[in-house]
Amino acid sequence: QVQLVESGGGLVQPGGSLRLSCAASGFTSSSYTMAWYRRAPGKGRDLVASITSPGDSTTYADSVKGRFTISRDNGRNTVYLQMNSLKPEDTAVYFCNRRFSAVNWGQGTQVTVSS
């Protein structure tokens, strides 16, 4: 069964860091371009970062460039999003999925940046 499970979110102060994980099952995530998305309160789901297959080239939304890093651990079939220098405007539910040929969305993980 194809499944994506996001974790690692939480409440963090501005300037803090979090690392999100996306555990895939039912398919080999290393064979796909994978992406992280986020949905802020009252807004649609926006693309945050992606990592290609093959090649592991990364791209980022302008709003997170220089602060977020997407990576993958093929042995764990997991994709990560390292988030540094977090800002209140990063508050959102974060999701991962295949960048193309998306599968069923997971529950996401809530990130709240607030003092």
Side-chain angles (χ1 to χ4, degrees):
Q1 182 182 355
V2 172
Q3 191 174 19
L4 295 162
V5 179
E6 301 91 349
S7 62
L11 173 63
V12 63
Q13 292 187 340
S17 298
L18 284 173
R19 188 176 82 153
L20 307 184
S21 299
C22 169
S25 57
F27 70 99
T28 303
S29 61
S30 60
S31 297
Y32 294 86
T33 294
M34 297 295 295
W36 281 96
Y37 301 80
R38 66 186 181 188
R39 181 191 290 139
K43 298 188 177 180
R45 187 155 45 205
D46 294 325
L47 178 65
V48 173
S50 63
I51 183 166
T52 64
S53 175
D56 285 354
S57 294
T58 57
T59 58
Y60 299 92
D62 287 344
S63 58
V64 307
K65 257 179 210 174
R67 301 188 297 122
F68 289 12
T69 303
I70 188 171
S71 63
R72 50 164 119 229
D73 183 334
N74 295 335
R76 294 179 185 273
N77 209 21
T78 297
V79 179
Y80 300 100
L81 186 68
Q82 177 68 44
M83 306 188 297
N84 299 327
S85 302
L86 282 160
K87 304 175 180 180
E89 51 264 43
D90 295 318
T91 294
V93 180
Y94 285 72
F95 304 85
C96 69
N97 212 319
R98 303 193 317 205
R99 178 68 180 94
F100 311 102
S101 66
V103 297
N104 288 340
W105 293 89
Q107 301 271 18
T109 186
Q110 175 71 49
V111 172
T112 302
V113 184
S114 175
S115 53

